[in-house]
Amino acid sequence: NSSSVKEFILLGLSENQGVQKIYFVVFLLFYTLTVAGNLLIVLTVTSSRHLNSPMYFFLGHLSFVDVCYSSVTAPQMISGFLVENNTISFAGCIGQLFGLHFFGCTEIFILTAMAYDRYMAICRPLHYRALMSRRLCGRVVGGSWAGGFLHSTLQTLPTALLPFCGPNKVAHYFCDVHPLLHLACANTRAAGLAAVANSGVISLSCFLILVASYVVILLSLRGQKSAGWHKALSTCGSHITVVILFFGPRTFVYIRPSSDLSKDRSVAVFYTLIPPMLNPLIYTLRNGEVKGAMRKLCRR
């Protein structure tokens, strides 16, 4: 490693001490709710015999990924609100960058798989069981993890190999590609374009696939009675909400070359912390089966 920088200082969301204490309480609550809510869903899906359809199989994996995804950034950020200088080692910083993209990309692929599952359930109900077999679902989830790993490796390696000779202040509350490229003592234009191509293209193309799948679902319901519409919208509504929350801010950060890092910082909260916290609420409040299974689990 050619870099002389051994650690980075994460600047966090605010320099103001009073505001930092408020943030500490708020984000600690967010993170606690995220972990508790998502682990409850994982437990519910794995322990319930009734929640055995592909939709819940994917939901269980989504919740597990959410716990990992928020755990990459939240603990470091929350502890940072209490100290003068929130430092992270060079290896820790690269590890955080890897984890962020690994779990984030895996989540994108799982959300896309869930949209395909909804499309199959609504547009091809008679063939649904045969087409969405356990084996296929297992392969899709395995492929999602493998895709996330590949994406993250391609994103992390070029950044890790750059020379960092100081300054070492990262204008963000976690280590991400754009803030680190700003600190490298080399021409990072190629690395920056590669990062935008890699993350931006994945986010945008999956988002377009998701939108297309919903357009097809809605078109297929044109001749149906209102009950069919209601059922489709209730199953898809929660998924659409999650997708917009997760993809909107993410695509904004990664699809454009980075210039204004302070904007990126505030937008990042909306895809690293808010969706993982809201996912359990969105999926359980709109789903009677999950609520029923949770009640049974709590009674036990």
Side-chain angles (χ1 to χ4, degrees):
N1 180 12
S2 57
S3 54
S4 53
V5 171
K6 292 281 174 276
E7 63 179 20
F8 291 105
I9 297 169
L10 297 168
L11 292 184
L13 285 170
S14 166
E15 312 281 309
N16 179 325
Q17 286 291 309
V19 174
Q20 284 197 339
K21 292 201 169 58
I22 297 167
Y23 277 163
F24 171 77
V25 175
V26 171
F27 287 117
L28 182 63
L29 179 68
F30 279 9
Y31 181 58
T32 311
L33 287 172
T34 302
V35 174
N38 281 296
L39 286 179
L40 183 59
I41 285 201
V42 173
L43 279 171
T44 305
V45 171
T46 47
S47 68
S48 170
R49 285 199 301 276
H50 300 293
L51 303 181
N52 56 5
S53 73
M55 180 167 117
Y56 300 118
F57 176 71
F58 291 130
L59 179 59
H61 279 273
L62 182 76
S63 290
F64 177 69
V65 173
D66 271 336
V67 172
C68 300
Y69 183 57
S70 54
S71 299
V72 171
T73 55
Q76 175 86 34
M77 166 187 166
I78 292 163
S79 61
F81 289 133
L82 297 180
V83 292
E84 189 75 20
N85 275 342
N86 185 14
T87 56
I88 185 169
S89 68
F90 183 83
C93 185
I94 296 300
Q96 195 177 49
L97 170 65
F98 181 85
L100 183 86
H101 283 273
F102 176 38
F103 296 118
C105 188
T106 304
E107 172 142 1
I108 284 179
F109 290 146
I110 290 177
L111 283 168
T112 310
M114 289 172 89
Y116 178 72
D117 172 65
R118 292 299 80 214
Y119 160 74
M120 281 296 190
I122 292 164
C123 299
R124 316 220 16 215
L126 300 176
H127 305 240
Y128 177 67
R129 282 277 172 204
L131 291 169
M132 296 299 288
S133 64
R134 258 279 138 109
R135 206 158 141 206
L136 177 74
C137 294
R139 280 182 180 165
V140 167
V141 166
S144 299
W145 285 99
F149 184 82
L150 179 68
H151 157 76
S152 189
T153 307
L154 292 173
Q155 197 74 306
T156 309
L157 265 180
T159 312
L161 296 173
L162 288 168
F164 293 96
C165 44
N168 68 339
K169 287 189 173 174
V170 179
H172 214 311
Y173 63 88
F174 57 82
C175 290
D176 203 355
V177 178
H178 291 325
L180 287 176
L181 292 182
H182 278 257
L183 299 179
C185 323
N187 184 350
T188 59
R189 199 183 150 75
L193 286 172
V196 168
N198 190 344
S199 280
V201 167
I202 288 178
S203 295
L204 193 63
S205 53
C206 287
F207 184 62
L208 293 175
I209 291 170
L210 286 159
V211 171
S213 71
Y214 285 118
V215 170
V216 172
I217 287 171
L218 292 175
L219 288 175
S220 75
L221 292 170
R222 271 181 314 190
Q224 291 214 14
K225 296 186 179 68
S226 61
W229 270 94
H230 185 257
K231 188 176 182 223
L233 290 176
S234 69
T235 38
C236 295
S238 44
H239 193 219
I240 291 171
T241 315
V242 170
V243 165
I244 291 169
L245 280 170
F246 190 70
F247 280 90
R250 212 185 156 81
T251 310
F252 169 80
V253 168
Y254 290 113
I255 205 76
R256 65 194 221 297
S258 64
S259 48
D260 187 357
L261 289 173
S262 60
K263 259 200 204 118
D264 286 7
R265 246 190 293 190
S266 38
V267 170
V269 174
F270 287 98
Y271 66 86
T272 56
L273 286 168
I274 309 291
M277 177 181 75
L278 293 180
N279 277 356
L281 289 172
I282 290 168
Y283 279 108
T284 48
L285 291 177
R286 311 210 40 159
N287 191 311
E289 286 181 329
V290 177
K291 274 192 276 195
M294 264 185 191
R295 278 193 212 105
K296 274 188 193 153
L297 181 72
C298 293
R299 277 196 217 107
R300 264 192 284 176

PDB file of all heavy atoms in Angstrom, residues 236-259:
ATOM      1  N   CYS A 236     -48.180  -4.828  -4.276  1.00  0.00           N
ATOM      2  CA  CYS A 236     -47.106  -4.076  -4.933  1.00  0.00           C
ATOM      3  C   CYS A 236     -46.837  -2.735  -4.259  1.00  0.00           C
ATOM      4  O   CYS A 236     -45.730  -2.208  -4.348  1.00  0.00           O
ATOM      5  CB  CYS A 236     -47.459  -3.810  -6.393  1.00  0.00           C
ATOM      6  SG  CYS A 236     -47.557  -5.304  -7.356  1.00  0.00           S
ATOM      7  N   GLY A 237     -47.858  -2.194  -3.607  1.00  0.00           N
ATOM      8  CA  GLY A 237     -47.725  -0.856  -3.015  1.00  0.00           C
ATOM      9  C   GLY A 237     -46.545  -0.760  -2.080  1.00  0.00           C
ATOM     10  O   GLY A 237     -45.742   0.177  -2.153  1.00  0.00           O
ATOM     11  N   SER A 238     -46.409  -1.769  -1.188  1.00  0.00           N
ATOM     12  CA  SER A 238     -45.314  -1.728  -0.218  1.00  0.00           C
ATOM     13  C   SER A 238     -43.970  -1.815  -0.929  1.00  0.00           C
ATOM     14  O   SER A 238     -43.023  -1.121  -0.579  1.00  0.00           O
ATOM     15  CB  SER A 238     -45.456  -2.868   0.788  1.00  0.00           C
ATOM     16  OG  SER A 238     -45.781  -4.063   0.127  1.00  0.00           O
ATOM     17  N   HIS A 239     -43.919  -2.639  -1.958  1.00  0.00           N
ATOM     18  CA  HIS A 239     -42.658  -2.809  -2.690  1.00  0.00           C
ATOM     19  C   HIS A 239     -42.284  -1.523  -3.429  1.00  0.00           C
ATOM     20  O   HIS A 239     -41.132  -1.103  -3.415  1.00  0.00           O
ATOM     21  CB  HIS A 239     -42.795  -3.980  -3.664  1.00  0.00           C
ATOM     22  CG  HIS A 239     -41.482  -4.434  -4.231  1.00  0.00           C
ATOM     23  ND1 HIS A 239     -41.337  -4.818  -5.522  1.00  0.00           N
ATOM     24  CD2 HIS A 239     -40.256  -4.539  -3.671  1.00  0.00           C
ATOM     25  CE1 HIS A 239     -40.066  -5.142  -5.732  1.00  0.00           C
ATOM     26  NE2 HIS A 239     -39.392  -4.992  -4.626  1.00  0.00           N
ATOM     27  N   ILE A 240     -43.271  -0.891  -4.061  1.00  0.00           N
ATOM     28  CA  ILE A 240     -43.015   0.366  -4.789  1.00  0.00           C
ATOM     29  C   ILE A 240     -42.469   1.433  -3.821  1.00  0.00           C
ATOM     30  O   ILE A 240     -41.527   2.144  -4.134  1.00  0.00           O
ATOM     31  CB  ILE A 240     -44.298   0.876  -5.478  1.00  0.00           C
ATOM     32  CG1 ILE A 240     -44.685  -0.067  -6.624  1.00  0.00           C
ATOM     33  CG2 ILE A 240     -44.096   2.282  -6.037  1.00  0.00           C
ATOM     34  CD1 ILE A 240     -46.046   0.209  -7.244  1.00  0.00           C
ATOM     35  N   THR A 241     -43.063   1.490  -2.615  1.00  0.00           N
ATOM     36  CA  THR A 241     -42.623   2.478  -1.616  1.00  0.00           C
ATOM     37  C   THR A 241     -41.145   2.280  -1.285  1.00  0.00           C
ATOM     38  O   THR A 241     -40.361   3.236  -1.263  1.00  0.00           O
ATOM     39  CB  THR A 241     -43.453   2.328  -0.313  1.00  0.00           C
ATOM     40  OG1 THR A 241     -44.827   2.200  -0.672  1.00  0.00           O
ATOM     41  CG2 THR A 241     -43.289   3.519   0.599  1.00  0.00           C
ATOM     42  N   VAL A 242     -40.772   1.027  -1.020  1.00  0.00           N
ATOM     43  CA  VAL A 242     -39.383   0.715  -0.666  1.00  0.00           C
ATOM     44  C   VAL A 242     -38.447   1.086  -1.813  1.00  0.00           C
ATOM     45  O   VAL A 242     -37.389   1.688  -1.624  1.00  0.00           O
ATOM     46  CB  VAL A 242     -39.232  -0.787  -0.336  1.00  0.00           C
ATOM     47  CG1 VAL A 242     -37.766  -1.169  -0.220  1.00  0.00           C
ATOM     48  CG2 VAL A 242     -39.959  -1.111   0.951  1.00  0.00           C
ATOM     49  N   VAL A 243     -38.864   0.730  -3.034  1.00  0.00           N
ATOM     50  CA  VAL A 243     -38.032   0.968  -4.219  1.00  0.00           C
ATOM     51  C   VAL A 243     -37.764   2.459  -4.416  1.00  0.00           C
ATOM     52  O   VAL A 243     -36.625   2.881  -4.638  1.00  0.00           O
ATOM     53  CB  VAL A 243     -38.709   0.350  -5.470  1.00  0.00           C
ATOM     54  CG1 VAL A 243     -38.093   0.886  -6.749  1.00  0.00           C
ATOM     55  CG2 VAL A 243     -38.592  -1.164  -5.424  1.00  0.00           C
ATOM     56  N   ILE A 244     -38.807   3.285  -4.282  1.00  0.00           N
ATOM     57  CA  ILE A 244     -38.629   4.731  -4.481  1.00  0.00           C
ATOM     58  C   ILE A 244     -37.693   5.308  -3.410  1.00  0.00           C
ATOM     59  O   ILE A 244     -36.781   6.062  -3.707  1.00  0.00           O
ATOM     60  CB  ILE A 244     -39.999   5.457  -4.481  1.00  0.00           C
ATOM     61  CG1 ILE A 244     -40.775   5.063  -5.742  1.00  0.00           C
ATOM     62  CG2 ILE A 244     -39.813   6.971  -4.427  1.00  0.00           C
ATOM     63  CD1 ILE A 244     -42.221   5.478  -5.743  1.00  0.00           C
ATOM     64  N   LEU A 245     -37.909   4.890  -2.158  1.00  0.00           N
ATOM     65  CA  LEU A 245     -37.072   5.383  -1.057  1.00  0.00           C
ATOM     66  C   LEU A 245     -35.612   4.990  -1.235  1.00  0.00           C
ATOM     67  O   LEU A 245     -34.702   5.739  -0.893  1.00  0.00           O
ATOM     68  CB  LEU A 245     -37.565   4.792   0.269  1.00  0.00           C
ATOM     69  CG  LEU A 245     -38.778   5.448   0.909  1.00  0.00           C
ATOM     70  CD1 LEU A 245     -39.270   4.599   2.063  1.00  0.00           C
ATOM     71  CD2 LEU A 245     -38.423   6.841   1.418  1.00  0.00           C
ATOM     72  N   PHE A 246     -35.401   3.783  -1.754  1.00  0.00           N
ATOM     73  CA  PHE A 246     -34.046   3.245  -1.838  1.00  0.00           C
ATOM     74  C   PHE A 246     -33.317   3.725  -3.090  1.00  0.00           C
ATOM     75  O   PHE A 246     -32.157   4.099  -3.047  1.00  0.00           O
ATOM     76  CB  PHE A 246     -34.115   1.720  -1.826  1.00  0.00           C
ATOM     77  CG  PHE A 246     -32.780   1.054  -1.667  1.00  0.00           C
ATOM     78  CD1 PHE A 246     -32.099   1.119  -0.461  1.00  0.00           C
ATOM     79  CD2 PHE A 246     -32.205   0.351  -2.712  1.00  0.00           C
ATOM     80  CE1 PHE A 246     -30.867   0.508  -0.307  1.00  0.00           C
ATOM     81  CE2 PHE A 246     -30.969  -0.265  -2.564  1.00  0.00           C
ATOM     82  CZ  PHE A 246     -30.303  -0.187  -1.359  1.00  0.00           C
ATOM     83  N   PHE A 247     -34.028   3.726  -4.216  1.00  0.00           N
ATOM     84  CA  PHE A 247     -33.374   4.022  -5.486  1.00  0.00           C
ATOM     85  C   PHE A 247     -33.259   5.507  -5.787  1.00  0.00           C
ATOM     86  O   PHE A 247     -32.278   5.939  -6.378  1.00  0.00           O
ATOM     87  CB  PHE A 247     -34.121   3.354  -6.647  1.00  0.00           C
ATOM     88  CG  PHE A 247     -33.792   1.909  -6.801  1.00  0.00           C
ATOM     89  CD1 PHE A 247     -34.523   0.939  -6.156  1.00  0.00           C
ATOM     90  CD2 PHE A 247     -32.739   1.512  -7.613  1.00  0.00           C
ATOM     91  CE1 PHE A 247     -34.220  -0.397  -6.302  1.00  0.00           C
ATOM     92  CE2 PHE A 247     -32.431   0.176  -7.762  1.00  0.00           C
ATOM     93  CZ  PHE A 247     -33.174  -0.783  -7.099  1.00  0.00           C
ATOM     94  N   GLY A 248     -34.275   6.291  -5.403  1.00  0.00           N
ATOM     95  CA  GLY A 248     -34.273   7.715  -5.733  1.00  0.00           C
ATOM     96  C   GLY A 248     -32.984   8.405  -5.311  1.00  0.00           C
ATOM     97  O   GLY A 248     -32.195   8.861  -6.145  1.00  0.00           O
ATOM     98  N   PRO A 249     -32.720   8.445  -3.978  1.00  0.00           N
ATOM     99  CA  PRO A 249     -31.520   9.135  -3.506  1.00  0.00           C
ATOM    100  C   PRO A 249     -30.227   8.479  -3.997  1.00  0.00           C
ATOM    101  O   PRO A 249     -29.245   9.147  -4.291  1.00  0.00           O
ATOM    102  CB  PRO A 249     -31.612   9.031  -1.983  1.00  0.00           C
ATOM    103  CG  PRO A 249     -32.827   8.288  -1.662  1.00  0.00           C
ATOM    104  CD  PRO A 249     -33.566   7.955  -2.898  1.00  0.00           C
ATOM    105  N   ARG A 250     -30.236   7.158  -4.079  1.00  0.00           N
ATOM    106  CA  ARG A 250     -29.035   6.417  -4.483  1.00  0.00           C
ATOM    107  C   ARG A 250     -28.607   6.780  -5.906  1.00  0.00           C
ATOM    108  O   ARG A 250     -27.440   7.032  -6.182  1.00  0.00           O
ATOM    109  CB  ARG A 250     -29.376   4.941  -4.434  1.00  0.00           C
ATOM    110  CG  ARG A 250     -28.233   4.088  -4.064  1.00  0.00           C
ATOM    111  CD  ARG A 250     -28.637   2.643  -4.164  1.00  0.00           C
ATOM    112  NE  ARG A 250     -27.420   1.903  -4.358  1.00  0.00           N
ATOM    113  CZ  ARG A 250     -26.606   1.559  -3.381  1.00  0.00           C
ATOM    114  NH1 ARG A 250     -26.900   1.858  -2.146  1.00  0.00           N
ATOM    115  NH2 ARG A 250     -25.509   0.911  -3.631  1.00  0.00           N
ATOM    116  N   THR A 251     -29.597   6.784  -6.795  1.00  0.00           N
ATOM    117  CA  THR A 251     -29.309   7.097  -8.197  1.00  0.00           C
ATOM    118  C   THR A 251     -28.801   8.548  -8.297  1.00  0.00           C
ATOM    119  O   THR A 251     -27.879   8.835  -9.042  1.00  0.00           O
ATOM    120  CB  THR A 251     -30.576   6.897  -9.061  1.00  0.00           C
ATOM    121  OG1 THR A 251     -31.117   5.605  -8.759  1.00  0.00           O
ATOM    122  CG2 THR A 251     -30.250   6.923 -10.539  1.00  0.00           C
ATOM    123  N   PHE A 252     -29.380   9.443  -7.481  1.00  0.00           N
ATOM    124  CA  PHE A 252     -28.961  10.850  -7.465  1.00  0.00           C
ATOM    125  C   PHE A 252     -27.475  10.972  -7.118  1.00  0.00           C
ATOM    126  O   PHE A 252     -26.744  11.738  -7.711  1.00  0.00           O
ATOM    127  CB  PHE A 252     -29.806  11.621  -6.427  1.00  0.00           C
ATOM    128  CG  PHE A 252     -29.286  13.007  -6.132  1.00  0.00           C
ATOM    129  CD1 PHE A 252     -29.555  14.064  -6.994  1.00  0.00           C
ATOM    130  CD2 PHE A 252     -28.535  13.257  -4.994  1.00  0.00           C
ATOM    131  CE1 PHE A 252     -29.077  15.340  -6.715  1.00  0.00           C
ATOM    132  CE2 PHE A 252     -28.052  14.526  -4.710  1.00  0.00           C
ATOM    133  CZ  PHE A 252     -28.329  15.574  -5.581  1.00  0.00           C
ATOM    134  N   VAL A 253     -27.021  10.183  -6.130  1.00  0.00           N
ATOM    135  CA  VAL A 253     -25.627  10.284  -5.677  1.00  0.00           C
ATOM    136  C   VAL A 253     -24.663   9.663  -6.685  1.00  0.00           C
ATOM    137  O   VAL A 253     -23.598  10.206  -6.960  1.00  0.00           O
ATOM    138  CB  VAL A 253     -25.454   9.611  -4.291  1.00  0.00           C
ATOM    139  CG1 VAL A 253     -23.983   9.450  -3.939  1.00  0.00           C
ATOM    140  CG2 VAL A 253     -26.164  10.435  -3.218  1.00  0.00           C
ATOM    141  N   TYR A 254     -25.049   8.516  -7.257  1.00  0.00           N
ATOM    142  CA  TYR A 254     -24.059   7.764  -8.045  1.00  0.00           C
ATOM    143  C   TYR A 254     -24.084   8.020  -9.544  1.00  0.00           C
ATOM    144  O   TYR A 254     -23.147   7.703 -10.247  1.00  0.00           O
ATOM    145  CB  TYR A 254     -24.205   6.258  -7.777  1.00  0.00           C
ATOM    146  CG  TYR A 254     -23.771   5.882  -6.391  1.00  0.00           C
ATOM    147  CD1 TYR A 254     -24.677   5.423  -5.446  1.00  0.00           C
ATOM    148  CD2 TYR A 254     -22.434   6.016  -6.013  1.00  0.00           C
ATOM    149  CE1 TYR A 254     -24.278   5.097  -4.160  1.00  0.00           C
ATOM    150  CE2 TYR A 254     -22.020   5.703  -4.733  1.00  0.00           C
ATOM    151  CZ  TYR A 254     -22.943   5.232  -3.808  1.00  0.00           C
ATOM    152  OH  TYR A 254     -22.534   4.932  -2.543  1.00  0.00           O
ATOM    153  N   ILE A 255     -25.179   8.574 -10.054  1.00  0.00           N
ATOM    154  CA  ILE A 255     -25.273   8.691 -11.511  1.00  0.00           C
ATOM    155  C   ILE A 255     -24.550   9.935 -12.021  1.00  0.00           C
ATOM    156  O   ILE A 255     -24.249  10.051 -13.194  1.00  0.00           O
ATOM    157  CB  ILE A 255     -26.761   8.673 -11.977  1.00  0.00           C
ATOM    158  CG1 ILE A 255     -26.873   8.189 -13.420  1.00  0.00           C
ATOM    159  CG2 ILE A 255     -27.395  10.035 -11.827  1.00  0.00           C
ATOM    160  CD1 ILE A 255     -26.713   6.720 -13.610  1.00  0.00           C
ATOM    161  N   ARG A 256     -24.258  10.885 -11.104  1.00  0.00           N
ATOM    162  CA  ARG A 256     -23.594  12.099 -11.581  1.00  0.00           C
ATOM    163  C   ARG A 256     -22.189  12.187 -11.011  1.00  0.00           C
ATOM    164  O   ARG A 256     -21.941  11.702  -9.906  1.00  0.00           O
ATOM    165  CB  ARG A 256     -24.401  13.323 -11.167  1.00  0.00           C
ATOM    166  CG  ARG A 256     -24.471  13.523  -9.680  1.00  0.00           C
ATOM    167  CD  ARG A 256     -25.534  14.519  -9.280  1.00  0.00           C
ATOM    168  NE  ARG A 256     -25.079  15.405  -8.214  1.00  0.00           N
ATOM    169  CZ  ARG A 256     -24.739  15.023  -7.010  1.00  0.00           C
ATOM    170  NH1 ARG A 256     -24.755  13.759  -6.674  1.00  0.00           N
ATOM    171  NH2 ARG A 256     -24.354  15.889  -6.099  1.00  0.00           N
ATOM    172  N   PRO A 257     -21.260  12.817 -11.733  1.00  0.00           N
ATOM    173  CA  PRO A 257     -19.908  13.003 -11.185  1.00  0.00           C
ATOM    174  C   PRO A 257     -19.999  13.862  -9.920  1.00  0.00           C
ATOM    175  O   PRO A 257     -20.810  14.774  -9.851  1.00  0.00           O
ATOM    176  CB  PRO A 257     -19.164  13.758 -12.288  1.00  0.00           C
ATOM    177  CG  PRO A 257     -20.002  13.602 -13.506  1.00  0.00           C
ATOM    178  CD  PRO A 257     -21.415  13.419 -13.050  1.00  0.00           C
ATOM    179  N   SER A 258     -19.200  13.517  -8.914  1.00  0.00           N
ATOM    180  CA  SER A 258     -19.371  14.184  -7.619  1.00  0.00           C
ATOM    181  C   SER A 258     -18.726  15.555  -7.628  1.00  0.00           C
ATOM    182  O   SER A 258     -17.566  15.701  -7.978  1.00  0.00           O
ATOM    183  CB  SER A 258     -18.705  13.344  -6.544  1.00  0.00           C
ATOM    184  OG  SER A 258     -17.334  13.294  -6.810  1.00  0.00           O
ATOM    185  N   SER A 259     -19.483  16.557  -7.225  1.00  0.00           N
ATOM    186  CA  SER A 259     -18.878  17.870  -7.030  1.00  0.00           C
ATOM    187  C   SER A 259     -19.254  18.365  -5.640  1.00  0.00           C
ATOM    188  O   SER A 259     -18.398  18.714  -4.842  1.00  0.00           O
ATOM    189  CB  SER A 259     -19.379  18.838  -8.096  1.00  0.00           C
ATOM    190  OG  SER A 259     -20.787  18.751  -8.186  1.00  0.00           O
TER     191      SER A 259
END
